[in-house]
Amino acid sequence: IAFSWNPEIILERREQLILLYRAHQVIHDYAMDDVKHVVGLAMTISSAIQIFSLLVIIGYHAEAEFPVVVVAVGTFLIVFILTKICLQMASQMGVLSKYFLHSFLRNDKDMSMFHRKRILASRPLFIQAGSFLRISPHTFLTLTSDVVIHHVVDLLLMSA
């Protein structure tokens, strides 16, 4: 549930909300400097598990024992679903953060120019995966199609 700005909130409360968001923004930026490489590593490990699970399921199901294939299917499903959930939550934070900032500007017509500039100076919060990738609503689709499926097909073609 997204928070929408209510213009009837008194001025002191408005100032507190803006300062709270700015403080959270500073803490978020500081934490992301340490965490962004861990997120990228987790995405790499998730992709590798999915690739090797699909390789066993599709390419080597005839040679592999039945329990190995069942474990590969279970592993793939669990990692696929967890990756999807985690990336959705990470991208939702950026979307909700952007919505929160825009709701200030859209719903409060009596806001002074100083407050508008102050809100416009606030950046939305995003989760980064590594130094260059910002997690968006399309990250899961890109990861699945461009990384996992592409490498599975490449490995299957090389082994054929």
Side-chain angles (χ1 to χ4, degrees), residues 43-57:
M43 287 175 57
T44 303
I45 292 170
S46 168
S47 297
I49 291 171
Q50 290 180 56
I51 289 167
F52 291 118
S53 296
L54 282 175
L55 197 60
V56 168
I57 294 167

Side-chain angles (χ1 to χ4, degrees), residues 5 33 40 55 57 63 71 119 157:
W5 180 250
D33 283 342
L55 197 60
I57 294 167
E63 295 90 9
V71 168
I119 291 170
L157 290 175

Side-chain angles (χ1 to χ4, degrees), residues 3 27 33 42 50 58 67 76 82 86 101 117 129 133-135 137-138 144 147 149 152 158-159:
F3 175 80
I27 292 168
D33 283 342
Q50 290 180 56
I58 297 170
F76 173 77
L82 287 176
C86 290
L101 291 173
K117 294 286 185 187
L133 177 66
R134 183 180 281 180
I135 295 179
H138 306 291
T144 303
V147 177
I149 302 298
V152 168
M158 286 191 321
S159 67

